[in-house]
Amino acid sequence: MLLISGLLAVAAAFVDLRSRRLPNVLILPAAAMCAAAIAAHGVVVGDLHRPLRAFASGASVGIILLVLATATGGLGLGDVKAATWTAMLAGWQSPAALTIAAVGPFLLQAPVALALLATKRIDRRSALPFGPALLVGGLLALILTR
């Protein structure tokens, strides 16, 4: 599950860097596959706490980013879907992983944006792809809390 998620995340990040869009054709199947694997694991092991935590994590981060996306327009719906996917995976692993996956992308994106502003490669109104930061933040969450 994690290997396939990682491969799809890399592909989605490259697409987002080139076109500033996270494609549903990559994000939605990956999220569905992970949700099915998490639910199956919970049933097989007999521990429904982790799957419930995973789904609650994905839903809560997804709702928060959906509110941010509609209120500010700075995030796209692809970003919301990718954040929901990564939060679900991180929430399945641990609350610490969820915290890193939820906050990490903003901490990763900030220095990049500041460096691009400082070098005048962008201005304050420029749009930057947020998907790569979301996906790297999710990856870091899973690695750092292993």
Side-chain angles (χ1 to χ4, degrees), residues 51-109:
L52 289 175
R53 184 180 66 210
F55 298 139
S57 299
S60 61
V61 169
I63 289 168
I64 290 168
L65 287 188
L66 181 60
V67 168
L68 279 174
T70 56
T72 65
L75 296 173
L77 292 180
D79 297 327
V80 173
K81 294 171 203 167
T84 302
W85 169 37
T86 59
M88 179 179 58
L89 285 173
W92 178 72
Q93 186 157 318
S94 71
L98 175 62
T99 302
I100 294 169
V103 176
F106 294 97
L107 297 176
L108 290 170
Q109 187 82 344

Side-chain angles (χ1 to χ4, degrees), residues 9 12-13 16-17 22 75 78-79 82 105 109 128-137:
D16 195 25
L17 285 171
L22 284 168
L75 296 173
D79 297 327
Q109 187 82 344
L128 293 176
F130 193 53
L134 281 169
L135 299 168
V136 169

